[in-house]
Amino acid sequence: MSAFSVAELAYLSERRLGRLATIDPDGLPHLVPLGWTYNPALDTIDVGGHDFARTRKFRNVRNNPRVALIIDDVLPPFRPRCVMIRGHGDALDDAVGAAGQPAGPIIRITPAEIISWGLDAPSPT
């Protein structure tokens, strides 16, 4: 059984951009927009990218695994929708993706808490 509700998984399947918050060595938040994928085999969120092991977010997670990821949008006229995932991030040097393919360096987020709102609002046609 997934940590995500059916409505959350449906919403996540429509989105590709999120904002990841990590904590730097001084205890300050570091927030960046990025792409991500849902890994149904592990029920995790995987974050990767070009030269990813050299990024500040990757180093931050290696030092402090507490992370939060927000995926959101706003429907007209003003109907915000959001899935916020708080949990444990693992900075993996040589990860394997959901289909068993090499994924390279990634941050794999295991949800500890998922909060969502506005998902019951119908999408505009």
Side-chain angles (χ1 to χ4, degrees):
M1 177 172 218
S2 177
F4 297 94
S5 72
V6 171
E8 290 163 347
L9 288 172
Y11 180 75
L12 294 177
S13 73
E14 301 170 0
R15 304 283 166 249
R16 290 291 163 248
L17 181 65
R19 293 164 194 82
L20 178 68
T22 61
I23 302 168
D24 76 11
D26 294 327
L28 297 172
H30 178 250
L31 183 66
V32 292
L34 46 67
W36 55 273
T37 58
Y38 172 65
N39 184 328
L42 300 173
D43 201 34
T44 60
I45 300 291
D46 292 349
V47 178
H50 178 70
D51 207 13
F52 197 68
R54 295 184 52 164
T55 64
R56 180 182 295 185
K57 58 192 158 281
F58 190 84
R59 291 190 312 268
N60 285 349
V61 170
R62 180 148 284 155
N63 292 321
N64 186 334
R66 292 178 163 179
V67 298
L69 178 68
I70 297 250
I71 298 105
D72 65 336
D73 67 347
V74 178
L75 297 177
F78 185 75
R79 295 185 302 179
R81 302 185 301 172
C82 178
V83 174
M84 179 175 62
I85 303 147
R86 295 173 49 162
H88 179 91
D90 288 303
L92 304 172
D93 291 310
D94 293 307
V96 176
Q101 76 282 15
I106 67 166
I107 295 170
R108 179 160 286 150
I109 301 169
T110 302
E113 178 182 32
I114 301 168
I115 300 169
S116 60
W117 59 86
L119 303 186
D120 56 345
S123 296
T125 55

